[in-house]
């Protein structure tokens, strides 16, 4: 996994999760239950939005 940590997102419950994005495969990972894949993103900004949506109710 050649992904880079690109930031953190907060869930609706106030927990903070790290976000990784692999620019070559475009896969997004969130530090929830280990590293959970949460889809693909075309840019780092898109990856952050996807990650935020993924952890919203966690």
């Amino acid at each position: 996994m050649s992904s880079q940590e690109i930031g953190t997102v907060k869930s609706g419950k106030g927990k903070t999760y790290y976000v990784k994005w692999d620019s070559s495969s475009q896969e997004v990972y969130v530090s929830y239950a280990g590293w959970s894949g949460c889809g693909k993103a075309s840019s780092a900004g898109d990856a952050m939005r996807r990650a935020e949506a993924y952890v919203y109710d966690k």
Side-chain angles (χ1 to χ4, degrees), residues 7-19 30 48-49 51-58:
T8 59
V9 289
K10 270 200 171 169
S11 72
K13 296 180 179 168
K15 291 185 179 176
T16 300
Y17 297 97
Y18 293 98
V19 181
V30 180
M48 292 298 287
R49 286 189 291 277
E52 199 167 25
Y54 182 79
V55 303
Y56 177 75
D57 60 350
K58 299 197 169 28

Side-chain angles (χ1 to χ4, degrees), residues 25-38:
S25 71
Q26 299 191 327
E27 291 286 344
V28 184
Y29 302 93
V30 180
S31 61
Y32 172 77
W35 284 100
S36 301
C38 60

